[in-house]
Amino acid sequence: MKYKDIIAEMTLEEKASLMSGKDYWQTQDIERLGIKSIFLADGPHGIRRQAVAADKLGLNEGVPATCYPTAATVANSWNVELGEKVGEYLGEEAIEQNVNVLLGPGINMKRNPLCGRNFEYFSEDPYLTGKMAAGYIRGIQSFGVSACVKHFAVNNQEEKRMTIDTIVDERALREIYLTAFEIAVKEGNTKAIMSSYNKLNGTYTNENTHLMQDILRGEWQYDGTVITDWGGSNDRIEGLEAGNELEMPTTGGETDQEIVAAICNGDLSEDILDKSVDRLLDLIFTTQNAYKKPKIDFDIEKHHRVSQKVAEESIVLLKNDQEILPLKFGKKVAVIGDFAKDARYQGAGSSIVNPTILDHTMDCFEESGIINIGYEPGFERYGKKDPKKIENACELAKQADVVLLYIGLDEVTEAEGLDRKDMKIPENQIELLEALHAVNPNIVGIISCGSAVEMPWIDKVQGLLHGYLGGQAGARAILRVLSGDVNPSGKLAESYPLKYEDTPSYQHFPGKEATVEYRESIYIGYRYYDSADVDVLFPFGFGLSYTTFEYSDISVDKNGVSFKLTNSGSKAGMEVAQLYVGCKSGNIFRAKKELKGFIKVFINAGETKTVRIPFNDNTFRYFNVKTNQWEIEKAEYQIMIGASSADIKLQEEVFMEGTNAPLPYVKELLPSYYKGQVNQVPSDEFEHLIGEKLPDPNWDRDKPLGYNDMIAQCHYAKGVFGRLLYKSVLFSHWFLRKIGKRSTANLIMMSIYNMPFRGIARMTGGMVNMPMVDGILMMVNGRFFKGFFHLLKEKFKLAKAKNPKTL
């Protein structure tokens, strides 16, 4: 242990106190030993240090900070160096705001397009995600502060995220859901990891010794700190034994006392506590060293311009019929759409950044050179139909050469704690588009949202740009692409299905009660669409440019692949060349192809460059569930270089000797997986895959509600109080939406409706303890008066313990 001498000076109570927060955002301090508090702040795409005191509950407004494009946006750049640059600027701002640990990046897989937090995650591919995340981490930590990669692991839905049990086979767990974390640990050297809320195969992730000890601490040799998601601790002792050091936020000392009691009773080894304290002290001391240098205020304007550069390189050109873009000189444009006036530039929830500057489209036309003849909102932002707005928009469109139509999803549709109901753009926006097309077919659509959407209307637009959520400078960045000042180079980091029903997890998302079954196994995103021959609207890795590129002269050796890339067009541009690998053997079920490398290259018009993408430890491996380790299959492998997963330009083969591991599966028992047709896997076949019987997916309605049951389950509570509580929460949500308080309504669903009862104690900073929760449970389970008086008694005892002189 690094800090053995300091730990030896601590009392048992002091050591235990370090294992939970001092308040909502700070760790505990021990002044007599020189141990200071460190500050943790949300910050996947900008610092959200709350402007109010750290002991105030809630998603309060943050101190102004640069709002960079979200991870879903930056992933479309396919530029690891750019991600590292974002990280560096985030690290610099963290220092300026006295933040020690930045809670990001988020690197969960985009298993399903409806996950409400997809805007905060990079990709459906673990390799791309891991490489981008490692870049962010290196950048952030170059300033001496710590990144905190989240949410570890298989947290792929927002609904019931604090209680849902994720059922996934070991191979999919390793290859799909843990690979990005592995790269973040091994290549990014992250100092901190945040455990997720959910269960994994029956055990909460922060108590899951297979996940936390066997894999994270054992195989990956991770020696950093693991932090719970806020309120994510279930059994504190089991979490500590698994290696989850820091519980956030504070519980008012309640769980510290549990740790002390467990050690005194012999239920917990003090050695485990000491090692946990040692790892946390390392995080505290190393991040405090960053503040020994003279502090310099960051350049707000410079950071804004960096945010713009990142957005420019991440914008994806999806359609450009008749080369309507870039806009020709002198063309008159009509600007239509509410998102043009009030930019949609970030997600919602804990990642909301208070921007230092905010560009709006209407303020940026003069410098763009685009001739704007007027603006009309065209639609109501939150879906209400307004024929008059459509009429006014059409009158303006008749006068223009080109219509710039800004459409997308509003702030409360994509939000933490909630999943989207569908993949559609709101109907009132589509009605506007159809009306505009009737009077002026020269329409360029600009989409603002953080995830994939269906586009049955795509034939109504001549050009289509997807800006995703471009941060505070995103509006100006889009205009620079429209005008031709910037040649678009973004490529999609996720597939766009023709319709939601085509997605492999359609039948099993989200988990509605006790469990969610990942029956599609390794076949998520393009892995499924390619293997099952399902047509998509836009494939993974797709993106157009204002120039053209030609691929030639592939050469493969044991260490990598080389080829030539030529800019055959008339404009300088950047191309993302992608390496895919496919195994020709049919002995083990595998996706048709998997991304195993990529490179972004700038090439002048007419220039040819020789490009090389090296192989690495990930290139040929698969996880063998029989040997319980990574293996390489002896086989011929297709080495494919493409402009997208569906546009393979060059191909060669290479033979690998392999590791001669035994075959992990009985082929006849897993026909769906060997065919890649996994959208309707029967239960018995999935049970063969996971090697055990499936748990009951339904809540047990015969049992009284307990700590890990949600307030949402009060609809079948035995007590009238419980059912009234349930109805009052639903009414509050309905009423708040009715009066336009949509964000507050969402907050109710996230922080009350889907909250387990234990969360009432874990999230209130010590104002409510577990004995008080016992009283609440008595009330909802039909013993109202006994529970009410128990609650009052425990509340009085808690108040007396905190302020003995005042009572």
Side-chain angles (χ1 to χ4, degrees), residues 134 137 149 180-190 193 216 220-223:
I137 295 161
V149 176
F181 286 99
E182 181 184 2
I183 295 171
V185 168
K186 292 181 176 179
E187 297 183 20
N189 294 309
T190 185
I193 292 176
L216 179 63
W220 302 349
Q221 296 293 296
Y222 177 69
D223 61 357

Side-chain angles (χ1 to χ4, degrees), residues 375-389:
Y375 162 76
E376 286 291 339
F379 60 85
E380 200 275 332
R381 194 177 191 93
Y382 296 105
K384 184 179 178 181
K385 295 187 178 183
D386 190 334
K388 186 63 178 175
K389 285 185 176 179

